[in-house]
Amino acid sequence: MRKRRRSLGPAFGRLWAAYAVSAFGTRLAFDAFPMIAVLVLHAGPGKVAALAAAGAAVGAVVAVPLGPWVEFRYKRPVMITMDLVRCAALLTVPAAFAFGLLSFAQLLLVSVAVAAADIAFGAAAGACVKALVPPGDLLCANGRLESTAWTATMLGPPLGGASVGLLGPMTTVVADAVSYLLSALGIRAIPGKEPAPAARSKGLRPGDLVDGWRHILGHPVLRPLLLNTVLVNGLIMASVPLLAVLMLGRLGFAPWVYGLAFAAPCAGGLIGARLARPLVDRYGGHRVLWVSGTLRACWSTGLAFVGPGTAGLLLVMGVELALITCAGVFNPVLATRRLELTPPDRVARTLSAWSVAGKAGTAALTALWGLLAATAGLRTALALAGLLLLATPLLLPRHDREPSPAARQSA
């Protein structure tokens, strides 16, 4: 007899639908700003790299006070506001282009605004999920969100590339902006009354800015998980532009082949996210987190040996498929443990601090690895990133008190 799909209620369903719409819009517009910088503003590689790194880094700094601001407010209005901010910011780009006023500075400012709004939205969304879903269903909810993210990543960039080819580089920016508007409408339609936010005295205290980091760095499980996540994600993302230069430039892969090399393996993320809950039910969250976190660090060294032709393409796709499948298991289990280990009155600050650290770390490592590639060579930089990733499992927590698999099933 086929097992019925677990229902998480209409409120989560609306939130999930809103997330799906914005996720597909974002992945449809994947690399839209670098494309616009190159195709419309004729920017060189230095400016394109600066756009990617500076937008994320400055956005993270701008988002520092947003964590406590989100914590003490109703989360759904915050999410709607951040969606509308991202929609409005993105729409300024095609508007300026239509009047011949688009500049590199505007792209940078919009990147900063979107990055800061992303962090605030994510902090509010995490708190909203914890409020909407019973504790025993958090992993199921995070698994569905993770599956949606990987599905969007698999389908969005190829469709976005085709849209850019047919209708021009502004098409996907408009689609992304509209997706945020639809997301805001979906969140507005979530039924039920939202729980009151945590109370506090008037005014933003200096301590509010660091409460999230204080909670993470003082926790024996969250601290190593943050360090591991920042380093792993940073090294993986730092390798992406280097691999693009290697494959598109020196090895002569066509752009559509390069896109296929990264889109097709995202099916592994969907598979991994679907496996996360059964694996946790059978083996326990800590063991699954440790094993999947270790395995996701084992593959990237192979990217340093990519060659031309079909063999090189298959090597990239194999490495990415293995890495993404492991990440698809790891990510929802991590998101669930992070929510379980964080008090309700500190969720937004903790998630905001986590996102700020992640974006800042990725920006710093991307810039550093760009310099390394310029001095030591692309393959050397890719190999070093892969070797450092092999050491990252040492940062995973060795022990973690958690509910047993039987307790999870009865929750």
Side-chain angles (χ1 to χ4, degrees), residues 12 56 72 99 114 142 157 173 210 232 244 275 288 319 347 358 371 395:
F12 177 78
F72 302 110
F99 290 100
V114 170
N142 284 315
V173 177
V210 296
V232 170
L275 289 174
V288 172
V319 168
V347 170
L371 292 175
L395 294 173

Side-chain angles (χ1 to χ4, degrees), residues 87-117:
C87 175
L90 288 169
L91 287 178
T92 66
V93 175
F97 174 74
F99 290 100
L101 301 174
L102 184 63
S103 67
F104 183 81
Q106 181 181 353
L107 287 184
L108 185 58
L109 288 174
V110 172
S111 297
V112 169
V114 170

Side-chain angles (χ1 to χ4, degrees), residues 110-205:
V110 172
S111 297
V112 169
V114 170
D118 284 344
I119 293 175
F121 182 94
C128 187
V129 170
K130 184 165 184 174
L132 289 176
V133 178
D137 288 332
L138 277 175
L139 181 56
C140 182
N142 284 315
R144 291 181 186 180
L145 296 175
E146 183 75 9
S147 298
T148 301
W150 285 116
T151 303
T153 304
M154 179 171 58
L155 300 177
L159 293 175
S163 299
V164 169
L166 291 172
L167 302 172
M170 295 296 161
T171 308
T172 56
V173 177
V174 174
D176 194 14
V178 171
S179 77
Y180 287 127
L181 179 60
L182 295 176
S183 172
L185 293 174
I187 294 167
R188 178 69 178 82
I190 293 176
K193 187 176 181 181
E194 182 179 354
R200 66 153 186 176
S201 57
K202 288 187 176 181
L204 181 65
R205 300 171 301 169

Side-chain angles (χ1 to χ4, degrees), residues 326-394:
C326 296
V329 175
F330 180 87
N331 290 343
V333 182
L334 167 67
T336 301
R337 285 305 283 148
R338 192 171 54 197
L339 289 176
E340 290 172 343
L341 296 172
T342 303
D345 63 349
R346 202 173 289 184
V347 170
R349 282 172 288 180
T350 298
L351 296 183
S352 177
W354 197 288
S355 296
V356 167
K359 286 185 179 292
T362 296
L365 287 171
T366 299
L368 180 61
W369 249 252
L371 292 175
L372 180 63
T375 55
L378 287 170
R379 293 188 186 273
T380 300
L382 288 169
L384 183 57
L387 291 173
L388 286 177
L389 280 166
L390 292 175
T392 57
L394 297 174

